[in-house]
Amino acid sequence: MTHVDWSMRDSHLTGYLDGELELAQARAIEESLATDAAMAERLSALEEAKQPLIDTFDMSALQAPSMPSDLAKAINDFADPMNGAVGKGVADDSLRTMNVPSRSWFGVTGRRMRFASALAASFAAGFVVMGAHNSLPNAARSADWVDIVASYQALYVTQTLEGPTQLGEKTEAVLRHAEETFGVDLRAVTDLEGLTFKRAQILGLENELLLQVAYLDEAGVPFAFCVTRVNDGQDDGSSRMSHALASHSWVDNGIGYVLVGGHDLERVENLSASLIAGL
């Protein structure tokens, strides 16, 4: 496997996807894509990963309530670099404070539009998005969470996990908390044949805790095993490609499990069978 310095390459690829690179830079990437299969695959993964963000901030899909006129005017006035004392430096500082990326993920150009859209989307999301997720049928939520995990995992590269392995005491504390939360024995998750355990951490998804256990295989490919509460049902398991990654998921007594990583569905299924036998 060829290891690529993605720390620089990903920023260029996202800029390429957003159409914000200089012509020479864009042409250089297009020339590399013709011969570099790994780069082409990574570009595809990044493009898929940004789609949920686009969907999240689609105002028509959210059917969001109208923003109060005084708030809309304040946003418009504040974000307009031509309006009185609000100049480029002030607007840029505000963007950094609000954690709004200077590069647009949504193909929208111009500081004013990015800032106003981000605040408008935040307003709508606070009232709408949480309710939309909570109203999803159990089966839909079960399938949806696997795609969300895969979209997050698609951002992982070898360098994400190639540092020191998490200290044993930290791992034990995380797994103990997860066991108390989900009521399952998770001691086997740190020992999977062919994968090197790197870390365990607690994340959150749709108001539920989510355990993520991260690994690297012998070629440096990142894998993740995740556990969360999804519904009261049972699912013997299903495999599919999601965000260009192989995944196998199942549900047991309302607890959802998924293993995701690489491109080999059969391998993911075999590793999942080992996990199931150890849980």
Side-chain angles (χ1 to χ4, degrees):
M1 174 180 178
T2 301
H3 290 275
V4 182
D5 182 7
W6 290 114
S7 62
M8 289 291 291
R9 189 70 59 81
D10 278 358
S11 63
H12 291 156
L13 291 180
T14 53
Y16 175 76
L17 287 173
D18 293 332
E20 295 190 351
L21 294 184
E22 298 291 336
L23 182 59
Q25 292 177 310
R27 284 179 175 171
I29 285 181
E30 288 170 354
E31 290 174 1
S32 296
L33 288 171
T35 58
D36 189 337
M39 180 193 282
E41 185 175 295
R42 190 65 188 153
L43 182 70
S44 176
L46 287 169
E47 190 166 25
E48 288 189 29
K50 80 172 185 177
Q51 189 58 47
L53 295 176
I54 296 173
D55 295 340
T56 297
F57 294 104
D58 182 348
M59 295 296 102
S60 62
L62 289 175
Q63 297 180 340
S66 299
M67 182 180 291
S69 58
D70 56 343
L71 178 57
K73 182 178 186 303
I75 291 172
N76 184 71
D77 291 344
F78 187 79
D80 191 345
M82 298 302 293
N83 187 356
V86 181
K88 180 180 186 298
V90 175
D92 283 347
D93 288 342
S94 300
L95 286 170
R96 284 193 288 273
T97 302
M98 294 294 294
N99 292 322
V100 179
S102 60
R103 181 191 300 110
S104 171
W105 273 93
F106 315 115
V108 179
T109 58
R111 186 180 303 107
R112 176 182 175 183
M113 286 300 296
R114 283 199 298 271
F115 184 70
S117 296
L119 284 182
S122 299
F123 169 80
F127 289 93
V128 179
V129 172
M130 188 61 70
H133 278 298
N134 288 339
S135 65
L136 285 172
N138 282 340
R141 291 181 65 190
S142 177
D144 183 62
W145 83 272
V146 173
D147 284 333
I148 294 173
V149 167
S151 71
Y152 182 67
Q153 185 66 15
L155 300 178
Y156 276 51
V157 293
T158 303
Q159 289 87 344
T160 310
L161 299 170
E162 66 181 357
T165 298
Q166 185 178 58
L167 294 176
E169 311 89 82
K170 174 64 174 178
T171 300
E172 290 175 10
V174 172
L175 293 182
R176 184 166 57 250
H177 181 65
E179 289 175 346
E180 292 170 355
T181 300
F182 304 122
V184 295
D185 186 345
L186 295 166
R187 287 173 295 180
V189 302
T190 60
D191 186 19
L192 273 181
E193 185 175 357
L195 299 183
T196 300
F197 168 79
K198 299 301 294 184
R199 72 181 183 218
Q201 59 183 346
I202 299 294
L203 305 174
L205 178 66
E206 296 183 356
N207 297 322
E208 295 286 353
L209 294 183
L210 181 143
L211 169 70
Q212 183 211 51
V213 183
Y215 316 84
L216 285 176
D217 74 0
E218 63 279 0
V221 176
F223 283 75
F225 174 59
C226 296
V227 183
T228 190
R229 196 178 307 279
V230 291
N231 57 39
D232 297 325
Q234 200 79 8
D235 181 355
D236 291 335
S238 61
S239 302
R240 68 177 186 272
M241 299 298 295
S242 180
H243 297 275
L245 295 175
S247 70
H248 183 79
S249 61
W250 66 99
V251 179
D252 185 16
N253 292 322
I255 305 300
Y257 306 84
V258 64
L259 180 68
V260 57
H263 311 291
D264 188 339
L265 281 172
E266 184 177 0
R267 184 185 188 193
V268 168
E269 289 171 354
N270 291 336
L271 289 168
S272 297
S274 297
L275 282 166
I276 292 170
L279 293 175

